[in-house]
Amino acid sequence: MSNDLSTAKWFKSSRSGSTKECVEVAFLNDGVGVRDSKNPTGPALIFTPSEWCAFTAGLEHGRFDHA
């Protein structure tokens, strides 16, 4: 994967509210980028489409919920 993040359109979840402690996501040509909203020029994680789908499916099914 070779993504140019300089033109990425980053966004926060609508559930983030007004706090600054959020992650931002960008849909890229061949993956999905995730970065810390407090450090927009810092590093970003890049996931393949299948990795992103597995992650979001896990979220939807409560796989990462903690009691």
Side-chain angles (χ1 to χ4, degrees), residues 62-67:
R63 184 171 184 195
F64 307 112
D65 293 349
H66 294 280

Side-chain angles (χ1 to χ4, degrees), residues 2-3 9 11 14-16 25 28 31-34 36 39 44 47 57-58 62 65:
S2 60
N3 285 290
K9 305 292 184 220
F11 66 94
S14 59
R15 296 183 178 199
S16 294
V25 175
L28 309 168
V32 178
V34 178
D36 183 346
N39 188 11
F47 298 96
D65 293 349

Side-chain angles (χ1 to χ4, degrees), residues 22-67:
C22 302
V23 296
E24 294 177 316
V25 175
F27 294 110
L28 309 168
N29 289 334
D30 57 353
V32 178
V34 178
R35 70 180 184 185
D36 183 346
S37 65
K38 295 184 306 292
N39 188 11
T41 59
L45 300 173
I46 308 296
F47 298 96
T48 65
S50 60
E51 290 170 330
W52 185 252
C53 287
F55 172 67
T56 57
L59 288 173
E60 290 172 2
H61 293 102
R63 184 171 184 195
F64 307 112
D65 293 349
H66 294 280

